[in-house]
Amino acid sequence: GEPRTWVIYPGVFSAGSIDEGTRLMLTALPKLGAGARVLDYGCGTGVIAAAMRAHGHDLALELLDSDSVSLLAATENVPGARVILGTALPATGATRYDAILSNPPLHSGVAEDHRTLERLIADAPKYLRKGGYLQLVVQRRLPLEDLLGEHLSDATIVAENGTYRVWRARALSRT
């Protein structure tokens, strides 16, 4: 909600502005207790993680992205966060999270590709603590209720606008 200096580099996603999906996600950020471990999956330059920190949360923040240039910017935008170069949750190691937050990448070049989203949802239970949750923003037209219900529980829409929905689903137990 406040202007701040933001580091970006040429070629990163949504350089110079916050995309509409991420903007909606920021309106529905969760309240977490001190010390909660949070992963910003597909973090780009770190907007979601920085917003979590700005809310005054004393969180252990980790940021995962497949783009090393974006991670370089994220390191500067979210100092002290652990950055991880990778394409999927296994790159984080054996870490268990209280929350995984994401505006997941849905394109491979120009073509829309849902494999990363599907893998994120399928892998999430293995990387969430009991009661932890996956929260993601996607276009409204993507039917996620069944896919989320297949791997997690209590899938609900926590924010939406004419184009996007923010979904939240819980992990009942560690697998």
Side-chain angles (χ1 to χ4, degrees):
E2 298 178 13
R4 66 166 276 188
T5 302
W6 197 256
V7 176
I8 57 170
Y9 293 108
V12 300
F13 173 72
S14 197
S17 65
I18 298 176
D19 67 281
E20 185 181 355
T22 299
R23 197 173 316 118
L24 181 62
M25 174 73 105
L26 297 181
T27 69
L29 290 176
K31 305 277 190 234
L32 297 171
R37 184 167 296 282
V38 177
L39 177 67
D40 183 349
Y41 177 99
C43 67
T45 61
V47 172
I48 293 170
M52 288 295 292
R53 179 171 284 161
H55 281 226
H57 298 298
D58 179 21
L59 304 172
L61 294 170
E62 298 187 12
L63 294 84
L64 171 73
D65 204 284
S66 63
D67 179 30
S68 59
V69 175
S70 291
L71 284 176
L72 180 62
T75 300
E76 297 179 60
N77 293 324
V78 191
R82 176 181 173 229
V83 296
I84 305 159
L85 181 63
T87 59
L89 289 173
T92 65
T95 304
R96 303 285 186 203
Y97 298 98
D98 296 291
I100 299 170
L101 309 174
S102 184
N103 181 351
L106 295 178
H107 289 86
S108 178
V110 176
E112 191 164 290
D113 183 350
H114 297 172
R115 287 179 292 185
T116 299
L117 172 64
E118 292 165 357
R119 183 169 182 197
L120 169 59
I121 292 169
D123 286 349
K126 294 177 234 154
Y127 293 88
L128 288 168
R129 292 181 175 154
K130 183 177 181 179
Y133 58 87
L134 172 65
Q135 181 170 310
L136 46 87
V137 60
V138 295
Q139 292 179 343
R140 288 176 60 99
R141 65 181 171 73
L142 296 178
L144 288 189
E145 190 166 17
D146 289 343
L147 183 59
L148 287 167
E150 188 177 323
H151 300 283
L152 298 151
S153 66
D154 302 326
T156 58
I157 298 167
V158 295
E160 64 184 315
N161 63 23
T163 308
Y164 293 93
R165 285 186 172 144
V166 177
W167 289 88
R168 186 182 294 163
R170 292 204 172 275
L172 290 179
S173 64
R174 288 193 341 196
T175 55

